[in-house]
Amino acid sequence: MRKFLIAGNWKMNGTRDSAVQLADEIVRGLEPSEQLEILVCPPFIFLLEVARRLKNSRLLLGAQDICADDNGAYTGEVSGSMLREAECRYVIVGHSERRSLYAENDSLVARKFIAAQNAGLIPILCVGETLEQRQNGQTHAVVLGQLNAVLEVAGLQAFGHAVMAYEPVWAIGTGKNATPEQAQEVHASIRASLGSRDAKIASRIRLLYGGSVKAANAAELLKMPDIDGGLVGGASLEAKEFLAICKAAG
Ligand code: PGA
C-alpha cells in the first residue's frame, strides 16, 4: 500500500519568523492519518529552526536541493550529511527551477540523487516538460528521458527508495495546473516505464504531481490512480490552504 505524500516546497520565501509561524500552524492543524506523510521544505537557512518546531510532531522536514559532493571546497553548497544533521528526511532534486535557472543537467541531477541516498535521504526526483515540448508532442520522451538519465547512473534498485514528482514546467507557479487526465497519463507512463523493468518498484514508488496544486484542485488530481501525492509550491505558504490540500489527500 502506497502512502500519500504531500510536500510543501517553500522555495526562497519568508522570514525566520514567518517560517516558524507557518510550521507551527501546520503542526497545529494536522489531523492524524495513517495513509499520509506530510513534509515541508523550507530554505536551507531556516531548516534548523523549523526542525526544532517539528520535534514530536508528525510533520517531516525536507530540503529543496543538495550538493552532489559530500564535503570539501564547494563554496555555497550544502551536503546530504549536513541536511541529515538538520533532521531532513527528504530532498528535492532536479526541480525545474534548478534545471533552467541554474543549468542543472541530467547528469548533475543523477549525482544529486545518488548523493541524497548515500546520506540516508529520500530523493524526490522532479521531471517535466516545457510548454513547447508538450506542443511538439515530446512530453513522454522528455519525461522518460529525464527518468532514464538517473536510472542509468543510479540503477533501478535505487528507485525502491525514491519518490518522483511530475511537474510540467508550464504549470509551475502559473496558476495553470495540468488536468487530472493529463497528469494521470504522464504518471501512468512513468509507472509503466519502471514496471517494464521491475513491477514491484513500479507499484511501490510514489509519483507526486506538482504545478499549481491548490485546495480547489487537489481532490480531483489526487483521486487519479497513479497520482500518489503532491509537490506544492505557492499554496504551501499558507497553512490553511496547505492543510486543506493535505485533507484532500487523507
Ligand atoms: P507551484 O510550485 O505549486 O507554485 O506551481 C510547484 C513546485 O515548484 O514544486
Side-chain angles (χ1 to χ4, degrees), residues 39-40 47-48 50-52 54-55 59-63 80-90 121:
L39 164 77
V40 291
L47 282 171
L48 285 171
V50 172
R52 252 177 248 131
L54 305 191
K55 277 229 156 23
L59 187 58
L60 302 172
L61 193 62
S81 51
M82 292 170 185
L83 296 176
R84 284 290 295 154
E85 270 200 87
E87 313 283 341
C88 288
R89 297 262 198 98
Y90 289 86
L121 294 157

Side-chain angles (χ1 to χ4, degrees), residues 64-119:
Q64 300 173 17
D65 190 20
I66 179 173
C67 182
D69 296 280
D70 197 47
N71 60 66
Y74 301 101
T75 301
E77 293 288 290
V78 178
S79 72
S81 51
M82 292 170 185
L83 296 176
R84 284 290 295 154
E85 270 200 87
E87 313 283 341
C88 288
R89 297 262 198 98
Y90 289 86
V91 61
I92 299 170
V93 299
H95 190 281
S96 85
E97 286 151 20
R98 302 291 321 167
R99 291 180 191 259
S100 68
L101 301 175
Y102 303 99
E104 289 195 9
N105 59 20
D106 281 337
S107 94
L108 180 59
V109 172
R111 288 182 58 224
K112 290 186 172 199
F113 182 97
I114 292 169
Q117 292 190 327
N118 286 345

Side-chain angles (χ1 to χ4, degrees), residues 3-9 35-41 90 92 95 124 126 163-167 183 187 206-214 217-219 221-224 226-236 242 245-246 248-250:
K3 262 191 183 182
F4 267 63
L5 173 65
I6 303 293
N9 175 10
Q35 306 308 327
L36 184 60
E37 268 185 293
I38 305 165
L39 164 77
V40 291
C41 304
Y90 289 86
I92 299 170
H95 190 281
I124 301 175
C126 298
V163 171
M164 284 187 66
Y166 168 55
E167 296 208 303
H187 282 229
R206 287 179 294 181
L207 306 179
L208 316 183
Y209 167 77
S212 299
V213 175
K214 42 188 181 280
N217 61 23
L221 285 160
L222 295 172
K223 71 167 194 261
M224 301 311 279
D226 288 297
I227 301 185
D228 309 312
L231 180 50
V232 185
S236 71
F242 186 62
I245 294 169
C246 297

